[in-house]
Structure formats: structure tokens, C-alpha cells
PDB file of all heavy atoms in Angstrom:
ATOM      1  N   VAL A   1     -21.630   9.165 -28.028  1.00  0.00           N
ATOM      2  CA  VAL A   1     -22.389   9.940 -27.062  1.00  0.00           C
ATOM      3  C   VAL A   1     -21.584  11.144 -26.602  1.00  0.00           C
ATOM      4  O   VAL A   1     -22.097  12.236 -26.436  1.00  0.00           O
ATOM      5  CB  VAL A   1     -22.777   9.056 -25.857  1.00  0.00           C
ATOM      6  CG1 VAL A   1     -23.422   9.900 -24.770  1.00  0.00           C
ATOM      7  CG2 VAL A   1     -23.712   7.944 -26.299  1.00  0.00           C
ATOM      8  N   LYS A   2     -20.267  10.940 -26.441  1.00  0.00           N
ATOM      9  CA  LYS A   2     -19.406  12.006 -25.958  1.00  0.00           C
ATOM     10  C   LYS A   2     -19.317  13.153 -26.950  1.00  0.00           C
ATOM     11  O   LYS A   2     -19.151  14.310 -26.590  1.00  0.00           O
ATOM     12  CB  LYS A   2     -18.007  11.434 -25.677  1.00  0.00           C
ATOM     13  CG  LYS A   2     -17.112  12.332 -24.840  1.00  0.00           C
ATOM     14  CD  LYS A   2     -15.836  11.600 -24.459  1.00  0.00           C
ATOM     15  CE  LYS A   2     -14.966  12.472 -23.565  1.00  0.00           C
ATOM     16  NZ  LYS A   2     -13.727  11.770 -23.172  1.00  0.00           N
ATOM     17  N   GLU A   3     -19.401  12.846 -28.257  1.00  0.00           N
ATOM     18  CA  GLU A   3     -19.284  13.857 -29.295  1.00  0.00           C
ATOM     19  C   GLU A   3     -20.571  14.656 -29.491  1.00  0.00           C
ATOM     20  O   GLU A   3     -20.561  15.695 -30.131  1.00  0.00           O
ATOM     21  CB  GLU A   3     -18.887  13.200 -30.618  1.00  0.00           C
ATOM     22  CG  GLU A   3     -17.470  12.641 -30.612  1.00  0.00           C
ATOM     23  CD  GLU A   3     -17.141  11.916 -31.893  1.00  0.00           C
ATOM     24  OE1 GLU A   3     -18.079  11.729 -32.708  1.00  0.00           O
ATOM     25  OE2 GLU A   3     -15.980  11.537 -32.095  1.00  0.00           O
ATOM     26  N   CYS A   4     -21.678  14.173 -28.981  1.00  0.00           N
ATOM     27  CA  CYS A   4     -22.953  14.852 -29.162  1.00  0.00           C
ATOM     28  C   CYS A   4     -23.008  16.131 -28.330  1.00  0.00           C
ATOM     29  O   CYS A   4     -22.593  16.153 -27.171  1.00  0.00           O
ATOM     30  CB  CYS A   4     -24.109  13.940 -28.751  1.00  0.00           C
ATOM     31  SG  CYS A   4     -24.237  12.462 -29.769  1.00  0.00           S
ATOM     32  N   LYS A   5     -23.556  17.179 -28.912  1.00  0.00           N
ATOM     33  CA  LYS A   5     -23.744  18.423 -28.181  1.00  0.00           C
ATOM     34  C   LYS A   5     -25.010  18.311 -27.332  1.00  0.00           C
ATOM     35  O   LYS A   5     -25.996  17.725 -27.769  1.00  0.00           O
ATOM     36  CB  LYS A   5     -23.867  19.597 -29.150  1.00  0.00           C
ATOM     37  CG  LYS A   5     -22.630  19.845 -29.985  1.00  0.00           C
ATOM     38  CD  LYS A   5     -22.855  21.000 -30.937  1.00  0.00           C
ATOM     39  CE  LYS A   5     -21.628  21.241 -31.810  1.00  0.00           C
ATOM     40  NZ  LYS A   5     -21.862  22.351 -32.770  1.00  0.00           N
ATOM     41  N   PRO A   6     -25.008  18.859 -26.149  1.00  0.00           N
ATOM     42  CA  PRO A   6     -26.198  18.806 -25.289  1.00  0.00           C
ATOM     43  C   PRO A   6     -27.409  19.436 -25.991  1.00  0.00           C
ATOM     44  O   PRO A   6     -27.318  20.542 -26.521  1.00  0.00           O
ATOM     45  CB  PRO A   6     -25.783  19.625 -24.062  1.00  0.00           C
ATOM     46  CG  PRO A   6     -24.291  19.562 -24.045  1.00  0.00           C
ATOM     47  CD  PRO A   6     -23.874  19.530 -25.482  1.00  0.00           C
ATOM     48  N   GLY A   7     -28.513  18.705 -26.002  1.00  0.00           N
ATOM     49  CA  GLY A   7     -29.738  19.230 -26.590  1.00  0.00           C
ATOM     50  C   GLY A   7     -29.779  19.211 -28.105  1.00  0.00           C
ATOM     51  O   GLY A   7     -30.714  19.749 -28.710  1.00  0.00           O
ATOM     52  N   ILE A   8     -28.787  18.570 -28.760  1.00  0.00           N
ATOM     53  CA  ILE A   8     -28.735  18.499 -30.213  1.00  0.00           C
ATOM     54  C   ILE A   8     -28.560  17.048 -30.641  1.00  0.00           C
ATOM     55  O   ILE A   8     -27.726  16.319 -30.105  1.00  0.00           O
ATOM     56  CB  ILE A   8     -27.576  19.344 -30.784  1.00  0.00           C
ATOM     57  CG1 ILE A   8     -27.740  20.806 -30.388  1.00  0.00           C
ATOM     58  CG2 ILE A   8     -27.505  19.211 -32.303  1.00  0.00           C
ATOM     59  CD1 ILE A   8     -28.957  21.486 -30.971  1.00  0.00           C
ATOM     60  N   GLY A   9     -29.337  16.623 -31.636  1.00  0.00           N
ATOM     61  CA  GLY A   9     -29.225  15.259 -32.130  1.00  0.00           C
ATOM     62  C   GLY A   9     -27.929  15.042 -32.877  1.00  0.00           C
ATOM     63  O   GLY A   9     -27.561  15.845 -33.735  1.00  0.00           O
ATOM     64  N   CYS A  10     -27.232  13.939 -32.587  1.00  0.00           N
ATOM     65  CA  CYS A  10     -25.944  13.652 -33.237  1.00  0.00           C
ATOM     66  C   CYS A  10     -26.100  13.401 -34.731  1.00  0.00           C
ATOM     67  O   CYS A  10     -25.191  13.672 -35.505  1.00  0.00           O
ATOM     68  CB  CYS A  10     -25.319  12.416 -32.597  1.00  0.00           C
ATOM     69  SG  CYS A  10     -24.916  12.608 -30.860  1.00  0.00           S
ATOM     70  N   VAL A  11     -27.239  12.861 -35.151  1.00  0.00           N
ATOM     71  CA  VAL A  11     -27.437  12.487 -36.550  1.00  0.00           C
ATOM     72  C   VAL A  11     -27.991  13.655 -37.369  1.00  0.00           C
ATOM     73  O   VAL A  11     -27.496  13.967 -38.449  1.00  0.00           O
ATOM     74  CB  VAL A  11     -28.384  11.277 -36.662  1.00  0.00           C
ATOM     75  CG1 VAL A  11     -28.605  10.894 -38.120  1.00  0.00           C
ATOM     76  CG2 VAL A  11     -27.831  10.101 -35.878  1.00  0.00           C
ATOM     77  N   THR A  12     -29.016  14.307 -36.873  1.00  0.00           N
ATOM     78  CA  THR A  12     -29.724  15.330 -37.654  1.00  0.00           C
ATOM     79  C   THR A  12     -29.313  16.758 -37.321  1.00  0.00           C
ATOM     80  O   THR A  12     -29.644  17.680 -38.069  1.00  0.00           O
ATOM     81  CB  THR A  12     -31.238  15.222 -37.417  1.00  0.00           C
ATOM     82  OG1 THR A  12     -31.509  15.484 -36.014  1.00  0.00           O
ATOM     83  CG2 THR A  12     -31.750  13.828 -37.764  1.00  0.00           C
ATOM     84  N   ASN A  13     -28.641  16.955 -36.194  1.00  0.00           N
ATOM     85  CA  ASN A  13     -28.321  18.308 -35.703  1.00  0.00           C
ATOM     86  C   ASN A  13     -29.571  19.119 -35.383  1.00  0.00           C
ATOM     87  O   ASN A  13     -29.530  20.352 -35.346  1.00  0.00           O
ATOM     88  CB  ASN A  13     -27.449  19.073 -36.707  1.00  0.00           C
ATOM     89  CG  ASN A  13     -26.028  18.538 -36.739  1.00  0.00           C
ATOM     90  OD1 ASN A  13     -25.475  18.168 -35.708  1.00  0.00           O
ATOM     91  ND2 ASN A  13     -25.451  18.480 -37.925  1.00  0.00           N
ATOM     92  N   LEU A  14     -30.671  18.418 -35.151  1.00  0.00           N
ATOM     93  CA  LEU A  14     -31.920  19.066 -34.750  1.00  0.00           C
ATOM     94  C   LEU A  14     -32.036  19.023 -33.227  1.00  0.00           C
ATOM     95  O   LEU A  14     -31.394  18.200 -32.574  1.00  0.00           O
ATOM     96  CB  LEU A  14     -33.115  18.361 -35.395  1.00  0.00           C
ATOM     97  CG  LEU A  14     -33.203  18.457 -36.917  1.00  0.00           C
ATOM     98  CD1 LEU A  14     -34.343  17.588 -37.439  1.00  0.00           C
ATOM     99  CD2 LEU A  14     -33.392  19.900 -37.362  1.00  0.00           C
ATOM    100  N   PRO A  15     -32.858  19.897 -32.659  1.00  0.00           N
ATOM    101  CA  PRO A  15     -32.979  19.942 -31.192  1.00  0.00           C
ATOM    102  C   PRO A  15     -33.496  18.625 -30.606  1.00  0.00           C
ATOM    103  O   PRO A  15     -34.276  17.909 -31.230  1.00  0.00           O
ATOM    104  CB  PRO A  15     -33.993  21.077 -30.971  1.00  0.00           C
ATOM    105  CG  PRO A  15     -33.919  21.914 -32.202  1.00  0.00           C
ATOM    106  CD  PRO A  15     -33.653  20.958 -33.316  1.00  0.00           C
ATOM    107  N   LEU A  16     -33.044  18.335 -29.416  1.00  0.00           N
ATOM    108  CA  LEU A  16     -33.547  17.215 -28.609  1.00  0.00           C
ATOM    109  C   LEU A  16     -33.860  17.731 -27.211  1.00  0.00           C
ATOM    110  O   LEU A  16     -33.050  18.459 -26.633  1.00  0.00           O
ATOM    111  CB  LEU A  16     -32.508  16.093 -28.511  1.00  0.00           C
ATOM    112  CG  LEU A  16     -32.280  15.205 -29.729  1.00  0.00           C
ATOM    113  CD1 LEU A  16     -31.174  14.197 -29.450  1.00  0.00           C
ATOM    114  CD2 LEU A  16     -33.555  14.491 -30.132  1.00  0.00           C
ATOM    115  N   PRO A  17     -35.029  17.369 -26.669  1.00  0.00           N
ATOM    116  CA  PRO A  17     -36.084  16.616 -27.364  1.00  0.00           C
ATOM    117  C   PRO A  17     -36.832  17.506 -28.362  1.00  0.00           C
ATOM    118  O   PRO A  17     -36.735  18.727 -28.307  1.00  0.00           O
ATOM    119  CB  PRO A  17     -37.000  16.175 -26.223  1.00  0.00           C
ATOM    120  CG  PRO A  17     -36.822  17.240 -25.188  1.00  0.00           C
ATOM    121  CD  PRO A  17     -35.397  17.677 -25.267  1.00  0.00           C
ATOM    122  N   ARG A  18     -37.583  16.867 -29.252  1.00  0.00           N
ATOM    123  CA  ARG A  18     -38.424  17.575 -30.214  1.00  0.00           C
ATOM    124  C   ARG A  18     -39.619  16.682 -30.537  1.00  0.00           C
ATOM    125  O   ARG A  18     -39.631  15.496 -30.189  1.00  0.00           O
ATOM    126  CB  ARG A  18     -37.663  17.927 -31.492  1.00  0.00           C
ATOM    127  CG  ARG A  18     -37.231  16.720 -32.320  1.00  0.00           C
ATOM    128  CD  ARG A  18     -36.509  17.139 -33.600  1.00  0.00           C
ATOM    129  NE  ARG A  18     -36.147  15.995 -34.427  1.00  0.00           N
ATOM    130  CZ  ARG A  18     -35.055  15.284 -34.280  1.00  0.00           C
ATOM    131  NH1 ARG A  18     -34.199  15.587 -33.326  1.00  0.00           N
ATOM    132  NH2 ARG A  18     -34.806  14.255 -35.083  1.00  0.00           N
ATOM    133  N   TYR A  19     -40.602  17.256 -31.222  1.00  0.00           N
ATOM    134  CA  TYR A  19     -41.815  16.499 -31.544  1.00  0.00           C
ATOM    135  C   TYR A  19     -41.890  16.174 -33.039  1.00  0.00           C
ATOM    136  O   TYR A  19     -41.508  16.984 -33.882  1.00  0.00           O
ATOM    137  CB  TYR A  19     -43.065  17.279 -31.136  1.00  0.00           C
ATOM    138  CG  TYR A  19     -43.224  17.427 -29.651  1.00  0.00           C
ATOM    139  CD1 TYR A  19     -42.784  18.582 -29.001  1.00  0.00           C
ATOM    140  CD2 TYR A  19     -43.803  16.421 -28.880  1.00  0.00           C
ATOM    141  CE1 TYR A  19     -42.910  18.734 -27.634  1.00  0.00           C
ATOM    142  CE2 TYR A  19     -43.938  16.560 -27.512  1.00  0.00           C
ATOM    143  CZ  TYR A  19     -43.491  17.718 -26.892  1.00  0.00           C
ATOM    144  OH  TYR A  19     -43.626  17.853 -25.536  1.00  0.00           O
ATOM    145  N   VAL A  20     -42.390  14.979 -33.326  1.00  0.00           N
ATOM    146  CA  VAL A  20     -42.673  14.543 -34.689  1.00  0.00           C
ATOM    147  C   VAL A  20     -44.048  13.874 -34.651  1.00  0.00           C
ATOM    148  O   VAL A  20     -44.746  13.933 -33.641  1.00  0.00           O
ATOM    149  CB  VAL A  20     -41.603  13.548 -35.196  1.00  0.00           C
ATOM    150  CG1 VAL A  20     -40.247  14.235 -35.334  1.00  0.00           C
ATOM    151  CG2 VAL A  20     -41.500  12.331 -34.267  1.00  0.00           C
ATOM    152  N   SER A  21     -44.428  13.235 -35.743  1.00  0.00           N
ATOM    153  CA  SER A  21     -45.699  12.501 -35.754  1.00  0.00           C
ATOM    154  C   SER A  21     -45.521  11.170 -36.453  1.00  0.00           C
ATOM    155  O   SER A  21     -44.559  10.964 -37.197  1.00  0.00           O
ATOM    156  CB  SER A  21     -46.799  13.323 -36.449  1.00  0.00           C
ATOM    157  OG  SER A  21     -46.436  13.633 -37.785  1.00  0.00           O
ATOM    158  N   LEU A  22     -46.438  10.244 -36.194  1.00  0.00           N
ATOM    159  CA  LEU A  22     -46.403   8.923 -36.827  1.00  0.00           C
ATOM    160  C   LEU A  22     -46.886   9.055 -38.267  1.00  0.00           C
ATOM    161  O   LEU A  22     -47.976   9.543 -38.516  1.00  0.00           O
ATOM    162  CB  LEU A  22     -47.285   7.946 -36.050  1.00  0.00           C
ATOM    163  CG  LEU A  22     -47.284   6.495 -36.519  1.00  0.00           C
ATOM    164  CD1 LEU A  22     -45.898   5.875 -36.357  1.00  0.00           C
ATOM    165  CD2 LEU A  22     -48.319   5.688 -35.744  1.00  0.00           C
ATOM    166  N   LYS A  23     -46.070   8.599 -39.216  1.00  0.00           N
ATOM    167  CA  LYS A  23     -46.378   8.801 -40.633  1.00  0.00           C
ATOM    168  C   LYS A  23     -47.497   7.890 -41.120  1.00  0.00           C
ATOM    169  O   LYS A  23     -48.374   8.309 -41.872  1.00  0.00           O
ATOM    170  CB  LYS A  23     -45.121   8.583 -41.477  1.00  0.00           C
ATOM    171  CG  LYS A  23     -45.320   8.863 -42.954  1.00  0.00           C
ATOM    172  CD  LYS A  23     -44.050   8.598 -43.739  1.00  0.00           C
ATOM    173  CE  LYS A  23     -42.967   9.607 -43.408  1.00  0.00           C
ATOM    174  NZ  LYS A  23     -41.760   9.432 -44.276  1.00  0.00           N
ATOM    175  N   GLY A  24     -47.479   6.631 -40.755  1.00  0.00           N
ATOM    176  CA  GLY A  24     -48.454   5.677 -41.270  1.00  0.00           C
ATOM    177  C   GLY A  24     -49.451   5.212 -40.229  1.00  0.00           C
ATOM    178  O   GLY A  24     -49.695   5.884 -39.221  1.00  0.00           O
ATOM    179  N   ASP A  25     -50.017   4.027 -40.480  1.00  0.00           N
ATOM    180  CA  ASP A  25     -51.039   3.483 -39.590  1.00  0.00           C
ATOM    181  C   ASP A  25     -50.457   2.842 -38.342  1.00  0.00           C
ATOM    182  O   ASP A  25     -51.160   2.684 -37.347  1.00  0.00           O
ATOM    183  CB  ASP A  25     -51.891   2.452 -40.332  1.00  0.00           C
ATOM    184  CG  ASP A  25     -52.730   3.085 -41.424  1.00  0.00           C
ATOM    185  OD1 ASP A  25     -52.987   4.298 -41.340  1.00  0.00           O
ATOM    186  OD2 ASP A  25     -53.113   2.366 -42.368  1.00  0.00           O
ATOM    187  N   GLN A  26     -49.194   2.435 -38.409  1.00  0.00           N
ATOM    188  CA  GLN A  26     -48.600   1.822 -37.230  1.00  0.00           C
ATOM    189  C   GLN A  26     -47.089   1.965 -37.271  1.00  0.00           C
ATOM    190  O   GLN A  26     -46.482   2.147 -38.332  1.00  0.00           O
ATOM    191  CB  GLN A  26     -49.004   0.366 -37.094  1.00  0.00           C
ATOM    192  CG  GLN A  26     -48.149  -0.640 -37.864  1.00  0.00           C
ATOM    193  CD  GLN A  26     -48.514  -2.076 -37.529  1.00  0.00           C
ATOM    194  OE1 GLN A  26     -49.664  -2.401 -37.250  1.00  0.00           O
ATOM    195  NE2 GLN A  26     -47.533  -2.947 -37.570  1.00  0.00           N
ATOM    196  N   GLY A  27     -46.481   1.908 -36.097  1.00  0.00           N
ATOM    197  CA  GLY A  27     -45.032   2.000 -36.000  1.00  0.00           C
ATOM    198  C   GLY A  27     -44.528   1.130 -34.869  1.00  0.00           C
ATOM    199  O   GLY A  27     -45.006   1.215 -33.737  1.00  0.00           O
ATOM    200  N   ASN A  28     -43.574   0.263 -35.170  1.00  0.00           N
ATOM    201  CA  ASN A  28     -42.996  -0.610 -34.157  1.00  0.00           C
ATOM    202  C   ASN A  28     -41.954   0.141 -33.339  1.00  0.00           C
ATOM    203  O   ASN A  28     -41.033   0.744 -33.888  1.00  0.00           O
ATOM    204  CB  ASN A  28     -42.320  -1.819 -34.811  1.00  0.00           C
ATOM    205  CG  ASN A  28     -43.317  -2.757 -35.470  1.00  0.00           C
ATOM    206  OD1 ASN A  28     -44.483  -2.780 -35.097  1.00  0.00           O
ATOM    207  ND2 ASN A  28     -42.863  -3.508 -36.452  1.00  0.00           N
TER     208      ASN A  28
END
């Protein structure tokens, strides 16, 4: 958590928060 940049995802380096969509019929 400490290594993460504010507003940037540690894994993808994409902005946080951001929007995506549900790919299939359901998601747990």
C-alpha cells in the first residue's frame, strides 16, 4: 500500500477510481 502512488493502481498503473463493466452474466 505504501508503494502505491495516490490515484494510481499498484497492479495496472491505471487511474483509481475508474470505471469498467461486467463481462459476463454474473460476477461474484
Side-chain angles (χ1 to χ4, degrees):
V1 173
K2 195 172 183 179
E3 292 176 352
C4 297
K5 297 179 181 178
I8 300 295
C10 297
V11 179
T12 63
N13 288 322
L14 294 174
L16 285 178
R18 66 178 183 275
Y19 292 96
V20 294
S21 59
L22 184 64
K23 184 181 291 186
D25 293 337
Q26 86 173 33
N28 292 336

